[in-house]
Amino acid sequence: MGTSRCVISIQGEKMNLSVDTKRTRRAFCSVALVFALSGSVLAQHEGHVTPKTATPPEDIQRPRRQVIPDGPIMRLEDLEAMAVQRNPTLAQAEAAIRAAEARRRQAGLFPNPIAGYFLEEFAFRAPGETAEQGAFIEQTIPLGGKLGKARRVFAAERDQAVILAEAQRLRVTNSIRVLYYETLGNQRLVELRDDLSQLAREAVEITRELYNVGQADRPDQLAIEIESERAEIDFLKAQNDWMRSWQTLAAMIGSPSLPPARLAGSAEEGLATLNETQLLETLVSQSPDIRVAQAGVERARAVLARERAERVPDLFLRGGLGYNYERFEPLVPSVSGRRKGLEGRLEVGVNVPIFNRNQGGIAAADAELAIAERELERLQLVLRSQFASSFREYRNAQQMVERYRTAVVPRAREAYQTYLGNFRQMAAAYPQVLIAQRTLFQVEVEYARALVQLRDTTVRLRGFLLDGGLDPSSTEGLKLRPPSKATANPENR
């Protein structure tokens, strides 16, 4: 099978290439240029000389544009500490605890007494002859343990508020970590996209030289310029993604004006295999959502006990001291004609539960207890379903990362290093080095994305599937009752 020689002259130098007779010299050059996104610089076979625009350093590394500042360097621990101090939802959760504790105290307070003045049998024609006036005090004494049972209702609500505060802290922490690794991954993607963009611009310069000496056609040059523009667009998009993730991270911390900084660490650090069985058992037994639902069941039981105590009537006491201006009848000669003077009075009573024994309240509380128990079961099933989906995503990301780490990235790096070594030994053309380097960059981009996905799923699984660090604290199940209802004192005097 015969071959023909392709002689390319660049800046007075020549290089001979042997190509298949079924391919033309121009087709060969075009394919190499478009596929490499870097053009084709063909070194002289004898001297292995490359054009001035393609002279590679030892490891072919190019200076990057200063998109991401070199300092200051922020650590994950620093950002988490800032979020604890500045995230408004954490302050809200702490205030909710204080409010629940205040309601618990209020629910156990004894009803206030009523003090007043009375005037009876006042005759306008003889105001000083028949009138009776004085002061009284009235007190309602709750019976049946109503106050203690009311305190238990609001104590359960305080327990719910405490658990909700813990859950909110986990949500904030999970959100900070997810956004941290997302920003860290975007930080790496900016650098990789910058490398690819510069590689494409280098290809444009090389293609322009080839076009000037007649070794590339105008369509070849346009194709490489298009690829270069695409690479630059990808670089700009990577910048925007990094800035968006940083601004979202700063907002989650509670410091939206926090200036962009370089994040420390690597997405590969600290990765460990998760135990599916252990994580699932922990989730369905210790998840804050489950604990809130369990506290909701206890609260519903306390409400039922409180409603049953409502059947016991409260004790009503009323006493007073007054002055009676009436005179004694002559039936008692010793005091006949004298004023009656100081008198005391005492009233004792109860509300007789004949018609209303709180039947409806007890039935409603019993139904709410059943709802709370079923809600706990429903939530356990929901968490199992969400865990299955999240762990599948984790397993997919883990397998992808493992493949890239052990097979794809090492092979791409080995191919690049092989071509680079051959190039230094004058056994390979520079375009082959650029092709291998571009492939390595693309593989590293995919690997960085896989690492971000793995970090995201890992954080969620370890953090009880909680997210939404800026969402308001959930109050589901926290059906607060007014203190007047809990103390059986409608006026709360």
Side-chain angles (χ1 to χ4, degrees):
M1 185 176 186
T3 60
S4 62
R5 309 292 294 180
C6 173
V7 182
I8 300 178
S9 175
I10 301 178
Q11 295 182 348
E13 302 291 345
K14 293 183 179 181
M15 176 181 177
N16 297 327
L17 290 176
S18 296
V19 297
D20 195 323
T21 54
K22 293 182 179 181
R23 299 178 181 178
T24 65
R25 178 180 58 191
R26 185 172 61 186
F28 171 78
C29 296
S30 301
V31 170
L33 290 171
V34 175
F35 182 76
L37 279 182
S38 58
S40 176
V41 178
L42 305 181
Q44 182 184 9
H45 182 66
E46 295 180 356
H48 213 289
V49 177
T50 59
K52 61 182 180 180
T53 57
T55 301
E58 289 299 314
D59 55 354
I60 314 193
Q61 293 181 353
R62 300 162 181 83
R64 291 170 177 155
R65 287 169 277 188
Q66 289 296 322
V67 176
I68 301 174
D70 294 331
I73 298 178
M74 304 292 292
R75 300 180 306 160
L76 176 60
E77 296 80 3
D78 300 331
L79 299 178
E80 289 179 348
M82 293 171 60
V84 170
Q85 299 296 327
R86 302 179 183 181
N87 188 288
T89 63
L90 299 182
Q92 287 178 322
E94 293 298 326
I97 295 177
R98 295 195 301 270
E101 174 61 23
R103 283 188 289 267
R104 187 195 67 83
R105 291 197 306 268
Q106 181 65 32
L109 297 179
F110 213 74
N112 291 325
I114 300 176
Y117 166 81
F118 68 89
L119 174 64
E120 298 178 356
E121 299 183 12
F122 179 80
F124 289 96
R125 293 183 179 181
E129 297 297 328
T130 60
E132 182 179 353
Q133 62 180 342
F136 72 92
I137 186 169
E138 178 183 318
Q139 178 67 57
T140 299
I141 301 177
L143 301 179
K146 294 185 180 70
L147 296 182
K149 291 178 173 62
R151 281 195 297 267
R152 283 192 286 274
V153 171
F154 286 93
E157 293 182 354
R158 180 198 58 192
D159 294 340
Q160 285 182 301
V162 171
I163 299 171
L164 287 171
E166 296 175 3
Q168 189 62 28
R169 283 192 291 270
L170 277 174
R171 286 189 174 91
V172 173
T173 300
N174 291 347
S175 299
I176 293 294
R177 292 175 180 176
V178 167
L179 290 170
Y180 181 88
Y181 288 113
E182 179 184 343
T183 307
L184 189 63
N186 288 334
Q187 176 178 293
R188 176 60 178 155
L189 288 176
V190 168
E191 296 172 347
L192 293 173
R193 290 297 183 186
D194 191 13
D195 292 339
L196 282 169
S197 177
Q198 294 191 55
L199 191 64
R201 287 202 303 273
E202 181 180 336
V204 170
E205 295 299 326
I206 297 172
T207 307
R208 185 175 291 113
E209 291 186 8
L210 291 174
Y211 176 74
N212 291 336
V213 297
Q215 299 301 320
D217 291 336
R218 180 61 176 169
D220 299 331
Q221 183 178 0
L222 293 175
I224 294 302
E225 290 175 352
I226 291 173
E227 293 298 332
S228 177
E229 291 298 326
R230 287 178 174 175
E232 185 66 18
I233 290 174
D234 289 338
F235 170 65
L236 296 176
K237 289 172 60 178
Q239 289 185 65
N240 295 334
D241 290 341
W242 170 75
M243 182 56 68
R244 175 199 56 79
S245 60
W246 174 264
Q247 292 173 347
T248 306
L249 177 60
M252 187 64 63
I253 293 170
S255 300
S257 59
L258 186 66
R262 180 173 291 273
L263 299 183
S266 169
E268 297 176 302
E269 297 177 359
L271 286 175
T273 302
L274 302 182
N275 187 307
E276 181 178 4
T277 303
Q278 182 179 358
L279 277 176
L280 180 58
E281 291 177 354
T282 303
L283 177 66
V284 297
S285 61
Q286 301 179 19
S287 169
D289 290 338
I290 294 295
R291 292 166 58 201
V292 168
Q294 291 171 341
V297 173
E298 294 302 319
R299 178 194 174 279
R301 289 172 180 164
V303 169
L304 179 59
R306 174 64 183 79
E307 293 296 340
R308 286 173 176 169
E310 191 70 23
R311 295 177 297 186
V312 180
D314 295 336
L315 181 64
F316 170 80
L317 297 176
R318 183 172 183 176
L321 184 65
Y323 190 88
N324 192 341
Y325 289 93
E326 292 183 351
R327 300 179 184 273
F328 285 103
E329 297 293 335
L331 297 177
V332 183
S334 61
V335 294
S336 177
R338 297 182 182 179
R339 297 185 184 278
K340 294 182 178 180
L342 290 176
E343 291 182 339
R345 60 174 57 189
L346 176 64
E347 298 178 28
V348 179
V350 294
N351 182 17
V352 181
I354 298 177
F355 306 107
N356 181 3
R357 295 185 296 275
N358 200 30
Q359 302 95 319
I362 295 173
D366 188 62
E368 289 182 0
L369 175 59
I371 292 174
E373 292 173 341
R374 300 292 86 77
E375 174 64 17
L376 177 59
E377 296 176 6
R378 184 195 70 83
L379 189 57
Q380 289 174 336
L381 296 176
V382 168
L383 289 179
R384 287 180 180 274
S385 175
Q386 292 177 350
F387 178 85
S389 176
S390 296
F391 202 86
R392 176 186 59 82
E393 295 177 1
Y394 162 78
R395 186 179 288 111
N396 290 341
Q398 183 191 39
Q399 292 171 349
M400 184 182 299
V401 166
E402 186 66 17
R403 283 283 185 172
Y404 272 99
R405 185 181 64 83
T406 60
V408 180
V409 174
R411 291 176 182 175
R413 187 172 290 113
E414 180 182 359
Y416 165 63
Q417 294 294 341
T418 299
Y419 277 120
L420 184 59
N422 292 340
F423 174 77
R424 290 168 179 168
Q425 297 174 6
M426 303 181 183
Y430 185 56
Q432 293 175 316
V433 179
L434 294 179
I435 292 172
Q437 189 179 37
R438 176 179 181 270
T439 301
L440 177 59
F441 286 160
Q442 290 177 330
V443 166
E444 288 181 344
V445 167
E446 296 166 0
Y447 181 47
R449 289 173 175 168
L451 281 172
V452 171
Q453 178 66 21
L454 179 59
R455 282 292 187 178
D456 179 84
T457 55
T458 300
V459 169
R460 282 178 48 81
L461 288 171
R462 286 179 170 174
F464 299 104
L465 304 179
L466 298 174
D467 55 11
L470 285 177
D471 294 341
S473 299
S474 173
T475 57
E476 184 177 357
L478 223 66
K479 301 172 183 176
L480 304 178
R481 308 172 73 204
S484 59
K485 176 64 176 176
T487 58
N489 183 13
E491 297 179 2
N492 197 26
R493 293 192 282 263

